[in-house]
Amino acid sequence: MSTKLIGRTSVRDNIKLSEDPSYPIFKELYEKQKKVVWFPEELNIQQDALDYHSLTDDEKELFDTAVGYFCSSELLVQNVLVNSFFPLLTDPHAKMSFSTQLFMENIHSDFFEIVLQSFGLDREKMYDVAFDDPILRKKQDLIVDEIDKISHGKINPETLEGQKQVLRAILLNNIVLEGIFFYSSFAHFFALKDMAKMKNVVSGVELVLIDESLHLQNGIEAILIMLDENPEIVEDTEYVQDIRNVILEGTSLEIEYVKHQFGDRTILGISSGEMERYLKYITDRRLQELGFQQEFHINENPLRFLQKEDVKKLINFFEVSSTEYTNY
Amino acid sequence: MKRTVIKRDGTEEPFRTQKIINAIFEIIQGLEVEDDYEIVFKIMKELDLKVPKRVATEELDQLVLKAIEQLIPKHPVYDTLATRQLLKIIDKDINRRLDHFRDYLARGFEENLLDESLKEFDFELLANSLNFDRDGLLGYFGLTTLKDRYLMRDRDDQIIEKPQWFFMRVAMGIGNSNGEVIKIYNKLSKLEYLHSTPTLFNSGTTTAQYSSCYVSVIDDSLDSIMDKARETAFLAKYAGGVGTDVTRIRATGSNIKSLNAPSSGAIPFIKIFDTLVNSIQQGGRRRSSQVMSMQPWHLDIDGFLDLRETTGNAYFRTPSLNTSLWMPDEMMRRIKEGEPLYFFDPGECPELVDAVGDDFRAKYEKRIEQAEAGGLKQFDKRDSKNFFKKYLFKLAKTGHPWLIFKDEHNRHNPCPEYSVINSSNLCTEISIPNHSDSTAVCTLASVNLSKHLTDDESDIDWDKFEDTLETMTRGLDNVLDKNFYPSEPAEKNTMDLRPLGIGLMGFAEALVDLGIPYDSEEAVILARKIGAFMRKVTYRTSQQLAEERGAFEHYREMKEAGSPYDYKPRRNAVLLAIAPTASISIISGTTSSIDSYFSNLYSRDTLSGKHIVINRQLIEDLEEKGHWSDEMAQKIKANNGSVQPIQELDGVINKDLYKTAYEIHPERQIDIAAAFQESIDQSVSKSLYIAERMRDDMEEFYLYAWEKKLKSTYYCFIDKVVKGEKYTEEVNKRGSRKGFGAVSSDTGSESSNGTSSKPGKEEQESVSDREELEARAREKFGDEVVDQALNADAGSCPTDPMLQKICPSCE
């Protein structure tokens, strides 16, 4: 049988690992994810308690919302994965890679939950913020509505239509949600650390970033493989255009959100203009990663402090939780 | 966009670019730059996005600073400008409250922040000695660190110290006369040497706690454990690092006579300290911290190795504590020679704790015989290689415990009659005899070697070096009598032994100036020479001090008791200790301790946030050779701060000078530390940097460190393999696959229609050839290599631009 990455599976299927995997990339991504497993207990989050109380109202709002957003979104990612395309994965290594992603989303939820508790945030409000805030809600709706459509209807992966639906689910989840929305909030956190605030929490977010960039790669690989296996998909120009539009819609929702959040002022030395440009930069990258042309043609990250995330890190261990140890 | 500036008095005015431009020109003034317009233009470009619709005047100053800061990796000139801008902000702020040095002192006394004893000095004379030009010696990272944590604040949390006032205040808390204060001020403000952080924080203040670390010993009794918990609390309160030996605490299952019940062992008691230190860490300017030290023959050693694991029973985990092993030679010998290790209960075998060297070996062997004959209640026997492997695994995984060599420390104990040396301190540079009633204290300062070179940078300026070392010895000895001791055992140890810790930083920076690669035999020879010089000068000064002020108490007691030590009387039992100098090397803007440059471009996480650090020396070198550009900066960044793979620099600069920490073989790192250790009477704290690919050789490196007679090792850094997605540079995740660009269409997907120059048929063919080649290369060499090759400078390979990294002729 000519198996595709996405197909109908039974619980009896793909329970054997092969020495010569059909998709070596997922084995590799699994291995990479395994190496970076971490636990929230490694970080001394309580250390930031005094810091938290010294944040300005704007900063607190930014921090709280970002935390609240992640609290619910990390679990949302799980739902989407499990309800939409996980059962359709036909390859054991792909399953291992995506289920490791699932596991790490647990850790992230756990981490943000501890953050909530450590600073006495209003948990009800925080968990609901992503759906109560009218602008954040639009972001969540983009993901949720689409996925619900897919997972409530019966997907038939044996058809081209089914493959297209699954691809779209992966795109929304791993690229739009994890690759654009999350990256927006990452920047808020890193800006805090840049101003020497909430350093231990942000150390945790650095670890989340490492994970998410691997998840992003999971998604990109899955999509590229699907396109490879179903060359008809790219021939459907309407569909291709639609995919591009979904990405751009995600970006414009995120831009709307940061404009609302930053307004006429700077927070942590960042203005909405910079955030907008940054999001366009990130979007261009995502587009290119999937084979699209850039939309905005922004080739330099305007939030230059982020280059601190790109270079080797040396840490005063006795001052800040380290993110530089690997597991084995 | 129309923008409005809100002034301090609440009035509003339209935002005027020209005003900002003028302000930037002002801070550039006096700086030698090629094109000041270009600099201003670049800063304005960064700033433009940053300025929101409504902005306050002070915020505008901050945003200008942020804009300049973003440009720092592009050129060192931006570092200087950022420093100047920050100085401007600090000065403006303080000038609103205080006009003069004397006003600052007055405020300090009024708010009971400064110690009354400072009033003895001649304020007029000191004020006239201040030299504000020296602000310019500070780098941006250094000044930020000073501002965030070191400059004194009043009771309303407003900064009241300018950098030069700060240096003078520190000097006033150390010098005994106006002349001495000025001399110390001059050296500190020129960054020729700095005292350790607690001294910089507290010197001259009403919290006169100058010492960095304390080393205590816990006896095997509940009384002692609780006593030491109390002592730790007070030592930690004043931001000292505490090292504590727990080897004496009896092992799990050992009998408690008074109850006739088994003990729960050492681990649950260590947990008490974890909770204690964590609760005190919450406040203050610097986190207090503690390291627990155990000799590895202790029967509870497995639990000890697991203390820093992040999973498992929380009662047996100590996330806030550090740990270290106090390793006897006999155990290292067994590990090396593959003989089994034995583990005992110190409750049953107490004589092993104090025994050192051959004495330990004899006692250990005796216990082994007894154990094998069935004469011990508890023991364990293990394969030594497996044990060491397990230990190194924990070290790589959790960063703990560090490996410190008990016998090498004790071989050089100058006062064995006082006590054995029971453990080292948090940063592993201390080696002072101590016992449960005498807690070792060390007060530290480090010379900045990079400021002690001759003008032509051909040699160390030995005269200046000598002068600095003398000043330091005298200053530190003064401090011991001004210091506040948070506990009685701490005061006792200092008064008995008067230990000092004079160390070094900026070694690697000085090497680059001297043109000596860190990774060379020449560097090892120089290290040996510097160590010997430091010893000669400080010992001579301490001997002079003994004539002026008397030898240390324990020396005199031994002499009076008729069993004198066989060395000349000196003021201080020990004088030298090479500390990691994490924070003070940042303030001085130099390389830390005797370490190499970590990387030529890296970020550093501290309590003052995250900072990008660039190797200024490299950039200056490249600039001189006409090879510094944005593209070069990008290349160095893409290579994780290394210049070694950049072929176009071959023959342009001496690349060996700029090897980064992971590019220097760990054995060379050890050789340099060992060369210093020959003369350093306390210890050299040496972190090891191990490239991921050498991870399997860790055992070898640590055996080598022991054989080379290092006293201490510190953190083991292993290059992290999996990193987050690069944020600011392109990463090709798609490889040669086309994804949505596979079919040419009008949907904006990336295919031939996207480019302005549509390839003709021929070209298309060659494109597909190229693609095939690329695909094959990917299969053979992996994506990373190919992507690297593809992104590399196309001009450098004459044959095939794409395959330059792969084809053997270019390798």
Side-chain angles (χ1 to χ4, degrees):
Chain A
M1 106 190 144
S2 74
T3 326
K4 290 178 178 174
L5 177 64
I6 298 295
R8 207 189 287 285
T9 61
S10 139
V11 286
R12 256 170 303 160
D13 294 339
N14 62 73
I15 50 176
K16 263 193 239 158
L17 289 177
S18 154
E19 272 182 41
D20 179 26
S22 319
Y23 304 101
I25 181 68
F26 286 118
K27 188 176 179 193
E28 195 184 299
L29 283 171
Y30 164 72
E31 292 289 344
K32 277 191 181 170
Q33 291 179 76
K34 193 168 74 172
K35 281 197 180 183
V36 295
V37 170
W38 56 283
F39 298 99
E41 290 76 12
E42 292 165 39
L43 300 147
N44 200 337
I45 292 167
Q46 282 76 19
Q47 201 78 51
D48 291 343
L50 282 181
D51 240 11
Y52 179 75
H53 293 292
S54 69
L55 294 181
T56 67
D57 289 346
D58 282 345
E59 290 164 357
K60 232 177 225 171
E61 163 83 16
L62 191 74
F63 177 82
D64 289 359
T65 318
V67 170
Y69 178 67
F70 272 111
C71 274
S72 56
S73 300
E74 293 285 358
L75 288 172
L76 178 66
V77 169
Q78 277 209 336
N79 283 350
V80 175
L81 253 167
V82 175
N83 293 0
S84 65
F85 64 91
F86 192 79
L88 303 176
L89 290 168
T90 64
D91 177 67
H93 281 109
K95 287 201 149 178
M96 284 171 74
S97 187
F98 276 100
S99 57
T100 312
Q101 173 176 346
L102 283 171
F103 170 66
M104 285 319 291
E105 307 296 357
N106 283 341
I107 299 294
H108 301 169
S109 303
D110 186 7
F111 167 69
F112 285 109
E113 168 69 24
I114 291 175
V115 173
L116 269 188
Q117 290 177 2
S118 302
F119 307 120
L121 305 185
D122 179 344
R123 49 181 304 121
E124 291 306 315
K125 192 175 148 206
M126 286 301 116
Y127 271 104
D128 292 339
V129 74
F131 286 95
D132 285 350
D133 181 298
I135 301 176
L136 277 177
R137 195 196 164 95
K138 284 198 216 167
K139 281 166 55 178
Q140 294 305 70
D141 282 350
L142 175 71
I143 311 292
V144 174
D145 290 352
E146 292 262 358
I147 305 283
D148 270 349
K149 245 188 273 167
I150 298 166
S151 47
H152 286 163
K154 280 205 177 81
I155 302 181
N156 181 356
E158 309 294 303
T159 65
L160 183 63
E161 198 45 42
Q163 291 278 344
K164 284 181 183 167
Q165 285 172 335
V166 173
L167 191 153
R168 199 177 157 95
I170 299 176
L171 179 95
L172 284 164
N173 193 54
N174 286 47
I175 313 294
V176 178
L177 181 57
E178 296 193 283
I180 295 176
F181 294 170
F182 280 13
Y183 272 70
S184 174
S185 304
F186 285 148
H188 303 168
F189 283 113
F190 293 144
L192 278 166
K193 193 167 186 172
D194 194 49
M195 304 293 263
K197 292 170 178 171
M198 310 303 290
K199 291 168 294 280
N200 292 286
V201 172
V202 182
S203 289
V205 176
E206 281 169 15
L207 294 168
V208 175
L209 168 72
I210 295 175
D211 295 337
E212 294 301 344
S213 59
L214 290 168
H215 300 171
L216 183 63
Q217 226 176 324
N218 260 339
I220 292 170
E221 288 301 331
I223 290 173
L224 293 175
I225 289 170
M226 289 180 73
L227 291 178
D228 212 32
E229 292 175 343
N230 304 282
E232 310 92 309
I233 292 181
V234 283
E235 282 160 18
D236 181 349
T237 51
E238 208 175 302
Y239 178 80
V240 172
Q241 184 63 53
D242 185 46
I243 290 287
R244 184 182 170 92
N245 289 345
V246 170
I247 299 173
L248 293 176
E249 188 183 346
T251 307
S252 77
L253 288 176
E254 189 60 43
I255 289 174
E256 184 184 347
Y257 170 66
V258 296
K259 276 190 173 155
H260 162 75
Q261 186 84 359
F262 285 79
D264 286 349
R265 61 194 189 285
T266 59
I267 307 177
L268 302 161
I270 301 179
S271 66
S272 64
E274 275 177 306
M275 272 310 289
E276 178 173 347
R277 210 175 152 78
Y278 161 73
L279 283 165
K280 289 179 171 171
Y281 166 78
I282 290 287
T283 305
D284 271 351
R285 280 174 72 148
R286 301 293 169 252
L287 286 170
Q288 284 179 303
E289 281 156 3
L290 294 172
F292 289 110
Q293 278 192 321
Q294 294 181 341
E295 172 77 15
F296 306 103
H297 302 281
I298 292 170
N299 293 318
E300 207 177 9
N301 190 337
L303 298 182
R304 281 191 220 257
F305 65 87
L306 291 174
Q307 57 194 342
K308 294 172 191 171
E309 303 304 318
D310 283 359
V311 295
K312 277 189 200 294
K313 282 172 217 156
L314 180 62
I315 287 166
N316 281 0
F317 286 92
F318 50 86
E319 296 185 343
V320 185
S321 307
S322 169
T323 59
E324 284 292 283
Y325 278 102
T326 31
N327 255 318
Y328 70 99
Chain B
M1 181 168 65
K2 192 171 164 296
R3 292 187 274 214
T4 311
V5 179
I6 305 149
K7 294 173 48 175
R8 283 191 76 82
D9 59 11
T11 58
E12 299 188 2
E13 64 177 32
F15 173 81
R16 280 177 46 229
T17 315
Q18 189 56 43
K19 241 181 142 169
I20 309 267
I21 293 178
N22 292 346
I24 298 172
F25 270 118
E26 235 168 75
I27 58 166
I28 296 181
Q29 225 167 47
L31 209 61
E32 262 183 57
V33 288
E34 216 170 281
D35 184 349
D36 49 357
Y37 278 91
E38 191 196 331
I39 290 173
V40 175
F41 174 75
K42 279 194 176 149
I43 296 171
M44 288 309 293
K45 205 173 138 211
E46 295 293 322
L47 185 66
D48 188 50
L49 266 180
K50 285 198 163 295
V51 179
K53 264 190 190 156
R54 297 173 58 78
V55 62
T57 322
E58 311 100 271
E59 195 191 355
L60 208 47
D61 276 340
Q62 285 292 345
L63 291 177
V64 171
L65 178 63
K66 279 273 145 197
I68 303 173
E69 193 196 310
Q70 296 201 343
L71 293 164
I72 289 177
K74 290 202 183 288
H75 196 280
V77 75
Y78 295 105
D79 192 273
T80 309
L81 291 177
T83 311
R84 288 182 172 196
Q85 176 72 8
L86 181 56
L87 275 169
K88 186 175 129 183
I89 294 172
I90 296 172
D91 278 349
K92 247 185 177 176
D93 178 52
I94 293 179
N95 288 342
R96 264 196 290 279
R97 291 188 294 277
L98 305 163
D99 287 331
H100 192 267
F101 181 57
R102 266 171 317 188
D103 300 330
Y104 147 69
L105 291 175
R107 172 75 63 91
F109 291 124
E110 191 184 293
E111 296 208 348
N112 195 26
L113 294 165
L114 292 176
D115 193 84
E116 292 286 319
S117 65
L118 301 192
K119 287 184 173 164
E120 288 166 23
F121 294 114
D122 179 347
F123 295 167
E124 197 57 45
L125 178 69
L126 298 187
N128 290 334
S129 307
L130 292 167
N131 182 344
F132 293 95
D133 289 345
R134 291 182 193 154
D135 286 350
L137 296 172
L138 292 162
Y140 182 60
F141 193 6
L143 184 61
T144 315
T145 306
L146 274 188
K147 172 183 161 273
D148 282 356
R149 293 193 288 149
Y150 291 76
L151 300 181
M152 184 185 271
R153 290 162 190 263
D154 65 11
R155 302 273 174 193
D156 298 326
D157 205 32
Q158 303 274 357
I159 293 177
I160 53 170
E161 246 175 15
K162 294 184 179 183
Q164 297 308 316
W165 301 353
F166 154 79
F167 287 123
M168 188 58 91
R169 185 257 300 163
V170 173
M172 289 166 82
I174 295 166
N176 285 341
S177 66
N178 287 313
E180 196 177 13
V181 168
I182 292 169
K183 177 151 200 188
I184 292 171
Y185 163 77
N186 283 336
K187 291 212 173 269
L188 294 177
S189 60
K190 289 183 193 163
L191 304 173
E192 287 170 10
Y193 88 93
L194 279 185
H195 286 267
S196 65
T197 294
T199 307
L200 298 179
F201 279 171
N202 298 330
S203 177
T205 72
T206 45
T207 331
Q209 197 292 111
Y210 292 73
S211 305
S212 302
C213 39
Y214 300 88
V215 192
S216 60
V217 178
I218 298 182
D219 277 335
D220 181 31
S221 74
L222 198 53
D223 264 345
S224 178
I225 293 171
M226 297 322 289
D227 273 356
K228 289 295 155 183
R230 186 185 160 79
E231 188 186 11
T232 299
F234 282 95
L235 298 177
K237 175 184 170 186
Y238 293 101
V242 187
T244 304
D245 173 34
V246 296
T247 310
R248 286 171 177 77
I249 303 178
R250 71 191 69 182
T252 317
S254 184
N255 186 265
I256 303 169
K257 263 193 202 147
S258 55
L259 297 174
N260 192 29
S263 162
S264 62
I267 306 301
F269 287 108
I270 295 175
K271 178 68 190 177
I272 297 174
F273 290 86
D274 179 64
T275 309
L276 187 64
V277 165
N278 184 267
S279 54
I280 293 172
Q281 275 181 0
Q282 306 291 331
R285 281 198 279 187
R286 179 185 185 159
R287 280 168 61 175
S288 59
S289 33
Q290 186 169 24
V291 59
M292 295 312 209
S293 169
M294 186 181 261
Q295 296 184 31
W297 52 263
H298 194 294
L299 208 43
D300 284 344
I301 194 66
D302 282 325
F304 189 79
L305 293 181
D306 281 344
L307 285 172
R308 287 297 301 256
E309 284 286 351
T310 49
T311 52
N313 185 343
Y315 283 106
F316 299 100
R317 298 291 175 265
T318 59
S320 300
L321 292 180
N322 301 283
T323 58
S324 64
L325 292 186
W326 192 241
M327 175 70 88
D329 281 352
E330 172 60 10
M331 292 183 81
M332 282 309 283
R333 186 194 64 78
R334 285 171 173 267
I335 289 164
K336 191 182 173 208
E337 290 168 17
E339 291 174 29
L341 292 175
Y342 287 75
F343 301 84
F344 301 112
D345 167 19
E348 200 177 4
C349 313
E351 79 286 0
L352 294 178
V353 180
D354 275 345
V356 298
D358 291 340
D359 182 34
F360 175 84
R361 181 177 180 164
K363 287 176 171 155
Y364 189 65
E365 279 170 353
K366 207 170 153 197
R367 288 296 185 178
I368 291 173
E369 268 171 50
Q370 197 183 354
E372 292 291 356
L376 278 180
K377 286 206 184 82
Q378 291 199 87
F379 81 98
D380 192 13
K381 177 184 177 181
R382 306 250 292 268
D383 178 83
S384 60
K385 293 270 178 209
N386 281 345
F387 174 78
F388 200 51
K389 220 183 211 163
K390 177 184 169 176
Y391 157 64
L392 292 173
F393 176 79
K394 298 281 176 192
L395 177 66
K397 185 179 174 197
T398 67
H400 293 85
W402 308 314
L403 189 59
I404 309 180
F405 303 108
K406 171 187 180 183
D407 291 329
E408 193 58 32
H409 270 266
N410 275 291
R411 255 191 289 284
H412 301 278
N413 182 354
C415 307
E417 295 304 320
Y418 188 75
S419 171
V420 294
I421 299 168
N422 274 291
S423 81
S424 188
N425 65 321
L426 180 70
C427 302
T428 80
E429 79 277 16
I430 297 307
S431 189
I432 301 174
N434 60 345
H435 52 77
S436 55
D437 297 324
S438 172
T439 295
V441 183
C442 205
T443 313
L444 301 155
S446 297
V447 193
N448 179 356
L449 190 65
S450 69
K451 300 278 187 211
H452 292 84
L453 297 179
T454 55
D455 290 340
D456 63 355
E457 294 185 346
S458 63
D459 194 6
I460 287 165
D461 184 339
W462 298 101
D463 292 338
K464 186 175 175 184
F465 195 16
E466 180 172 351
D467 183 49
T468 303
L469 288 167
E470 282 171 4
T471 309
M472 290 168 80
T473 312
R474 288 175 172 273
L476 282 173
D477 190 66
N478 292 349
V479 160
L480 299 185
D481 299 313
K482 300 172 194 258
N483 200 359
F484 161 73
Y485 298 93
S487 79
E488 260 179 55
E491 182 156 16
K492 176 174 168 47
N493 188 285
T494 309
M495 291 307 129
D496 289 343
L497 303 174
R498 301 192 71 85
L500 309 182
I502 293 170
L504 191 72
M505 57 182 162
F507 176 64
E509 188 187 346
L511 283 180
V512 174
D513 280 337
L514 295 169
I516 302 172
Y518 192 93
D519 193 1
S520 71
E521 194 50 37
E522 238 185 313
V524 179
I525 292 167
L526 185 63
R528 190 171 289 124
K529 192 170 165 192
I530 292 169
F533 186 79
M534 289 171 74
R535 183 169 183 125
K536 187 181 87 187
V537 176
T538 55
Y539 270 59
R540 192 185 62 216
T541 312
S542 185
Q543 284 156 4
Q544 284 162 2
L545 279 171
E547 282 168 29
E548 296 165 27
R549 306 175 182 176
F552 61 95
E553 188 65 28
H554 171 65
Y555 184 93
R556 284 199 309 221
E557 279 171 7
M558 291 303 290
K559 197 173 171 191
E560 279 161 25
S563 46
Y565 286 118
D566 61 356
Y567 44 82
K568 277 194 213 162
R570 57 176 189 257
R571 180 73 172 156
N572 317 90
V574 288
L575 287 117
L576 299 161
I578 295 193
T581 69
S583 307
I584 61 170
S585 67
I586 292 172
I587 297 172
S588 312
T590 190
T591 51
S592 55
S593 188
I594 56 164
D595 281 350
S596 68
Y597 272 100
F598 178 65
S599 176
N600 294 306
L601 174 69
Y602 65 99
S603 70
R604 188 148 184 190
D605 254 354
T606 71
L607 278 180
S608 308
K610 207 168 214 181
H611 280 263
I612 283 250
V613 183
I614 50 175
N615 182 343
R616 200 177 181 130
Q617 289 174 298
L618 169 67
I619 297 180
E620 280 164 6
D621 195 355
L622 285 171
E623 209 167 31
E624 217 166 275
K625 313 271 163 58
H627 273 261
W628 180 251
S629 62
D630 282 358
E631 293 74 50
M632 183 53 69
Q634 201 58 35
K635 258 181 215 169
I636 293 172
K637 191 166 112 191
N639 284 302
N640 281 319
S642 169
V643 293
Q644 303 306 320
I646 304 177
Q647 285 169 10
E648 62 182 279
L649 295 180
D650 286 349
V652 175
I653 53 169
N654 181 0
K655 280 193 190 175
D656 286 348
L657 283 178
Y658 304 107
K659 278 194 187 172
T660 61
Y662 296 111
E663 290 168 342
I664 294 163
H665 197 281
E667 291 187 354
R668 179 76 76 189
Q669 302 172 32
I670 292 166
D671 286 343
I672 289 193
F676 275 108
Q677 188 64 75
E678 286 171 20
S679 305
I680 300 299
D681 55 9
Q682 294 204 58
S683 173
V684 175
S685 167
K686 182 67 189 116
S687 290
L688 288 187
Y689 300 87
I690 300 178
E692 175 69 21
R693 69 190 152 79
M694 294 191 180
R695 195 164 167 162
D696 293 339
D697 306 329
M698 276 177 80
E699 187 182 332
E700 230 170 87
F701 302 148
Y702 278 88
L703 277 168
Y704 185 77
W706 172 63
E707 282 164 355
K708 286 300 239 177
K709 300 195 177 305
L710 283 200
K711 283 184 182 173
S712 301
T713 68
Y714 192 34
Y715 273 99
C716 173
F717 292 87
I718 294 178
D719 202 8
K720 189 167 184 163
V721 239
V722 186
K723 300 190 162 82
E725 179 191 11
K726 293 236 173 183
Y727 239 130
T728 51
E729 58 182 274
E730 296 261 349
V731 184
N732 183 355
K733 296 200 196 80
R734 181 159 47 87
S736 61
R737 291 170 293 180
K738 289 192 175 131
F740 282 102
V743 167
S744 131
S745 67
D746 302 324
T747 52
S749 51
E750 209 176 58
S751 57
S752 51
N753 70 337
T755 48
S756 53
S757 62
K758 245 183 170 172
K761 193 168 178 291
E762 258 178 28
E763 268 177 61
Q764 259 173 349
E765 249 172 39
S766 79
V767 165
S768 76
D769 278 351
R770 215 188 90 142
E771 271 165 8
E772 206 188 301
L773 191 64
E774 197 187 308
R776 264 191 290 143
R778 275 177 199 284
E779 216 168 274
K780 197 164 164 203
F781 302 102
D783 284 353
E784 221 178 283
V785 181
V786 178
D787 291 337
Q788 240 179 10
L790 282 173
N791 293 330
D793 180 18
S796 60
C797 177
T799 32
D800 189 336
M802 197 188 77
L803 291 178
Q804 62 165 352
K805 286 275 169 58
I806 301 163
C807 92
S809 64
C810 287
E811 247 171 10

